[in-house]
Amino acid sequence: MPGASLSRWTLTYFACALACLVAAEVLMVMGFGYPGAAIEAPETLILVHLVAIGWLSLLLCGALFQFVPVLVARPLLGEELPPVALAFILLGLAVLLSGFAGMAGIIVTPLEVMPLGGSLLIIGFGLVIVSLGRTLWAARPLAMPARFVVVGLAALAATALFGESFALILSGLVGGEAALSLLLNGVPLHALLGLGGWMSFTAMGVSYRLLAMFMLAPETERFPTSVVLATGTLTLVLIAAATPFALAAESGLAGMLLAAAVTGLCALGVYGSDMLALYRQRKRRNIELNAVAAIGAFAALLAAGLLLVFLLFSGSLPDHAGALTYLFAFGWLGGLGLAKLYKIVAFLTWLECFAPVLGKRQTPRVQDLVDERHAAPWFGAYYLAVGMGTLTLLVELPLAFRLFAFIQLVASLAITRHLYRSRELLNVPADLRRGFARPHPFWPQPIARKLP
């Protein structure tokens, strides 16, 4: 398979992302942030950015460093950049969260650290964009899934710039009527570009290739996929174009967002039909757990779309934006991320340990590195917890939400344990793993490995 060489830092990104996921879920169980605090409270901002940057963005960056070369059948350019980018992102996230903690009175921190954290994040994500952008540019013309990644990276740049603008305003370094208007009206644009553009659009593009690859489905470019790309890109353009309205606090902002909602829902509808076609056209009759678990993520995406329509028509979107965001972030993005991690970690471990000697001695299959029978119930528990958690947020039962957040935490830890077992070759029969050294769980290792 072209581009199947290992990205040395992908698993390090994954480990950091999972640590942030667990930390965010622990905070939710403790009642920290929304719904125990207002959605705009500093405590909620800590939770939101820990999930958006620490969990979802690091997960996507790690996956892209591995799979963009697969998408374009070329090696990654700028291989020295991923570890530097990771250091800047983690440092920037820590500084930004300390600024929010200072706003909440948890620690004593000057507000000026928030723009510093934002600047570090811009540098880190900028290095990610440079490395991936150079690789994509060198591979022109691009196949359809890679074009999704290009649009997603553009949305990432816009999201980071929005975030730094808010940090400058909150710190008091930038003021004025336009700045205040942007702070009051621009937060939805920042969230939509991040969750909808950078995270969702990129995940959609990668899912086209990963699902087809792992289910042995046809990878031909279909017209509906072009429709998803066009309508999704138009949605993000409309969101970005709403920025002047947010700056001037003009009434046109609501109209732009409504138009973006219409085109965005159209894109999600066609994308759903595309995913259904991939499942139906697969050549592998019995699909693996990662593809089964991904169905839960697609169901969450459908539920989020239906909930958005209901909240728009009922006029209650401002009151329940937190519940919608929770379902979208943890059900759709988080669920898809955990489902694909279950396959990716095993796949990368197999490439590292067994691919170099394939044909020279007996080796296990990729499926021998996982234990689907024991892992499957935990994916079910995760989706059940997210679904019930969303319901408790809608009916405003914060104590019940903490209970389901605890179940979500336990399920996430159990899935992480299964990822660790795959990485440690603990599911592989002893006779097949004899003679192979176990790889480090999350630290880069040489790709080639000599047998003892």
Side-chain angles (χ1 to χ4, degrees):
M1 182 180 62
S5 59
L6 283 176
S7 168
R8 289 168 53 85
W9 290 92
T10 285
L11 286 164
T12 311
Y13 274 80
F14 289 168
C16 295
L18 287 168
C20 290
L21 169 64
V22 171
E25 290 173 336
V26 168
L27 290 178
M28 290 192 298
V29 172
M30 295 170 58
F32 187 87
Y34 180 82
I39 198 168
E40 69 275 6
E43 293 87 348
T44 303
L45 294 178
I46 292 174
L47 186 60
V48 166
H49 288 84
L50 188 58
V51 172
I53 298 174
W55 161 226
L56 296 173
S57 291
L58 286 181
L59 174 67
L60 269 179
C61 289
L64 289 177
F65 282 129
Q66 176 62 45
F67 286 105
V68 162
V70 175
L71 293 178
V72 300
R74 284 176 175 267
L76 181 71
L77 299 179
E79 291 185 353
E80 69 283 356
L81 296 181
V84 182
L86 178 61
F88 272 104
I89 293 171
L90 290 176
L91 181 59
L93 177 61
V95 173
L96 182 65
L97 296 185
S98 69
F100 291 142
M103 288 179 60
I106 300 172
I107 60 175
V108 179
T109 306
L111 295 180
E112 289 77 8
V113 303
M114 284 191 293
L116 173 61
S119 298
L120 293 171
L121 287 170
I122 287 176
I123 294 172
F125 285 123
L127 294 174
V128 172
I129 293 171
V130 167
S131 178
L132 297 174
R134 287 178 58 197
T135 305
L136 292 164
W137 180 262
R140 293 167 296 143
L142 296 175
M144 191 65 68
R147 298 177 193 175
F148 280 82
V149 177
V150 172
V151 177
L153 292 175
L156 169 60
T159 303
L161 292 175
F162 256 113
E164 178 67 356
S165 300
F166 295 145
L168 288 168
I169 297 169
L170 288 172
S171 67
L173 297 177
V174 173
E177 185 177 340
L180 180 60
S181 177
L182 180 64
L183 182 62
L184 295 175
N185 302 297
V187 172
L189 308 183
H190 176 59
L192 289 170
L193 287 172
L195 289 173
W198 155 233
M199 298 172 197
S200 290
F201 213 63
T202 304
M204 289 161 66
V206 174
S207 68
Y208 275 108
R209 182 63 191 274
L210 287 186
L211 281 171
M213 182 171 65
F214 292 142
M215 294 195 303
L216 302 180
E219 295 188 36
T220 55
E221 295 189 0
R222 305 166 63 247
F223 176 73
T225 310
S226 302
V227 174
V228 176
L229 179 64
T231 53
T233 303
L234 175 60
T235 300
L236 298 175
V237 169
L238 288 171
I239 294 170
T243 304
F245 295 97
L247 282 168
E250 295 181 2
S251 58
L253 177 62
M256 295 288 284
L257 291 179
L258 181 60
V262 172
T263 56
L265 288 170
C266 290
L268 292 181
V270 180
Y271 170 72
S273 69
D274 260 354
M275 292 298 101
L276 184 60
L278 279 179
Y279 276 88
R280 287 177 171 174
Q281 297 170 9
R282 69 185 189 275
K283 297 180 181 178
R284 176 170 285 166
R285 176 172 297 180
N286 298 319
I287 58 178
E288 299 167 351
L289 178 57
N290 74 92
V292 175
I295 295 174
F298 298 134
L301 178 61
L302 173 62
L306 294 175
L307 179 59
L308 173 61
V309 173
F310 173 78
L311 295 178
L312 283 173
F313 277 99
S314 64
S316 57
L317 179 58
D319 297 328
H320 298 298
L324 177 63
T325 303
Y326 170 79
L327 176 60
F328 194 86
F330 285 102
W332 153 236
L333 292 170
L336 185 67
L338 288 173
K340 293 297 113 182
L341 272 180
Y342 190 74
K343 180 68 175 185
I344 293 170
V345 170
F347 180 63
L348 297 185
T349 302
W350 186 90
L351 281 177
E352 181 179 344
C353 296
F354 303 110
V357 296
L358 190 63
K360 300 177 183 178
R361 59 162 290 183
Q362 185 181 8
T363 59
R365 304 168 303 154
V366 176
Q367 277 302 94
D368 292 328
L369 274 66
V370 298
D371 182 4
E372 292 192 350
R373 183 170 67 90
H374 289 97
W378 293 113
F379 282 99
Y382 177 87
Y383 285 118
L384 177 63
V386 171
M388 294 303 297
T390 303
L391 181 60
T392 58
L393 290 176
L394 289 171
V395 298
E396 299 181 0
L397 295 174
L399 287 179
F401 171 77
R402 291 172 64 179
L403 171 62
F404 290 111
F406 176 74
I407 298 174
Q408 179 184 334
L409 169 63
V410 173
S412 298
L413 289 171
I415 294 170
T416 302
R417 176 178 172 271
H418 277 275
L419 299 177
Y420 175 80
R421 288 182 60 84
S422 295
R423 187 66 182 155
E424 288 288 289
L425 308 180
L426 296 178
N427 298 317
V428 180
D431 59 323
L432 289 181
R433 70 169 182 260
R434 189 174 295 116
F436 292 96
R438 290 176 179 174
H440 193 281
F442 51 82
W443 204 251
Q445 298 290 310
I447 295 176
R449 182 181 299 282
K450 293 184 178 180
L451 294 176

